[in-house]
Amino acid sequence: MSFLDGFEPIKRIKGVASMSVSKDGVSFTTAVIEKMGKPRYVTPLIDRNTQRFAIVSSDTETDDTRLFYKEGRKSQYGIRWSDRDIRSTLGEMMGWNLEESGYRVAGFFDYDDNAFIFDLKEAKPYGKGAAKGEED
């Protein structure tokens, strides 16, 4: 038995683990992909009461999963879904006008569930329509 039993290395991940929602789609940074272990599929989840969005790693494709990471694909800039349903659902829930500006929010990684949780109430606007002083 060692004093280091149960310890594991901390992965070195560059950048902020965040997601963006814009008129062009929903995007996840490379840090999200890396922290989740490059899952092939994720299940997107929404909590309308607390205005949170989550993605949970999945090994298999189901009716509820979305393709997330494809082996061999360069993801140096992250992943973008052009999924109209997800972006409009999030935009409507939050009262965002995605034609005017996008919104970016950092996520929290839940190791137990291998999930990223994004509190959309914390999202900040960016782009042309963002108010001065609020843009990242």
Side-chain angles (χ1 to χ4, degrees), residues 55-118:
I55 53 173
V56 181
S57 178
S58 178
D59 294 330
T60 57
E61 184 177 16
T62 69
D63 289 342
D64 294 327
T65 60
R66 302 286 195 288
L67 182 62
F68 194 66
Y69 180 78
K70 190 172 181 180
E71 197 63 45
R73 179 187 177 277
K74 289 189 177 188
S75 63
Q76 78 184 67
Y77 300 113
I79 291 173
R80 180 172 29 180
W81 292 336
S82 297
D83 191 311
R84 192 174 301 215
D85 183 48
I86 290 178
R87 81 174 170 240
S88 65
T89 298
L90 297 178
E92 288 169 12
M93 179 178 75
M94 299 307 297
W96 294 338
N97 182 345
L98 297 175
E99 294 298 321
E100 290 184 9
S101 65
Y103 290 82
R104 184 177 299 121
V105 61
F108 164 75
F109 186 61
D110 180 341
Y111 285 92
D112 293 333
D113 290 324
N114 198 21
F116 253 99
I117 302 165
F118 303 91

Side-chain angles (χ1 to χ4, degrees), residues 11-17 29-32 34:
K11 293 180 184 176
R12 182 173 28 165
I13 298 172
K14 296 179 182 179
V16 176
T29 62
T30 302
V32 172
E34 295 289 331

